[in-house]
Amino acid sequence: MRTTDAARRQYARDAILSASPARLLTMLYDRLLLDLRRAEAAQLESDWQTANNNLLHAQEIIAELSATLRPSGWDGAEGLRGLYEYVRMALVAANIHRDPARTREAIALLMPLQEAWHAAASSLADAAAVPTGAGEYAVG
């Protein structure tokens, strides 16, 4: 079993190290939403330790997302940073007060962003797959 776990960890590590920036962002959002869904399920089951662990990990991801924003590159960065701060505080409150409604609120706020980043990453991948000058040749 240890060999399988070690291989799985190595595969995950390699996937992260070889991922494009767009893919890393979508991976962070995927894990963030997974943590939040797990936290909500644990809260509903009164499994406070599991909820705590997942909420703390989600807060770490939010902190990373916020820290990597570059306001000079995009005029919407400060607004997104404000949203991240709001969600972070909601997760703190969800943890302290054992409130699954706050966790659900965070999920509802972040899901559209997750979907948007996935769509943007897919568009980048699609654009990269089109050969340069593909439209220069006419068939006929």
Side-chain angles (χ1 to χ4, degrees), residues 35-52 54-55 94 97-104 107:
D35 285 343
L36 293 176
R37 288 183 185 104
R38 287 176 174 171
E40 180 188 16
Q43 287 172 317
L44 294 172
E45 296 288 325
S46 298
D47 181 354
W48 305 118
Q49 187 59 53
T50 299
N52 177 64
N54 282 284
L55 289 168
H97 302 294
R98 299 179 170 180
D99 183 0
R102 297 301 296 265
T103 305
R104 273 192 300 280
I107 292 169

Side-chain angles (χ1 to χ4, degrees), residues 21 25 63-82 84 117:
L25 183 62
E64 183 66 25
L65 290 169
S66 182
T68 58
L69 281 173
R70 299 288 175 256
S72 62
W74 175 49
D75 61 355
E78 287 305 319
L80 187 54
R81 182 167 295 159
Y84 286 154
W117 287 120

Side-chain angles (χ1 to χ4, degrees), residues 18-131:
S18 65
S20 69
R23 179 69 183 124
L24 284 173
L25 183 62
T26 60
M27 290 168 75
L28 280 172
Y29 266 92
D30 291 347
R31 180 56 196 253
L32 174 58
L33 271 294
L34 177 64
D35 285 343
L36 293 176
R37 288 183 185 104
R38 287 176 174 171
E40 180 188 16
Q43 287 172 317
L44 294 172
E45 296 288 325
S46 298
D47 181 354
W48 305 118
Q49 187 59 53
T50 299
N52 177 64
N53 292 342
N54 282 284
L55 289 168
L56 289 177
H57 192 253
Q59 289 171 52
E60 290 173 10
I61 294 172
I62 290 289
E64 183 66 25
L65 290 169
S66 182
T68 58
L69 281 173
R70 299 288 175 256
S72 62
W74 175 49
D75 61 355
E78 287 305 319
L80 187 54
R81 182 167 295 159
L83 177 67
Y84 286 154
E85 181 59 19
Y86 178 83
V87 168
R88 189 186 68 77
M89 294 306 297
L91 297 180
V92 169
N95 208 1
I96 291 171
H97 302 294
R98 299 179 170 180
D99 183 0
R102 297 301 296 265
T103 305
R104 273 192 300 280
E105 177 187 23
I107 292 169
L109 289 169
L110 294 170
M111 276 182 52
L113 289 172
Q114 178 192 32
E115 292 166 2
W117 287 120
H118 271 279
S122 178
S123 293
L124 285 174
D126 291 346
V130 174

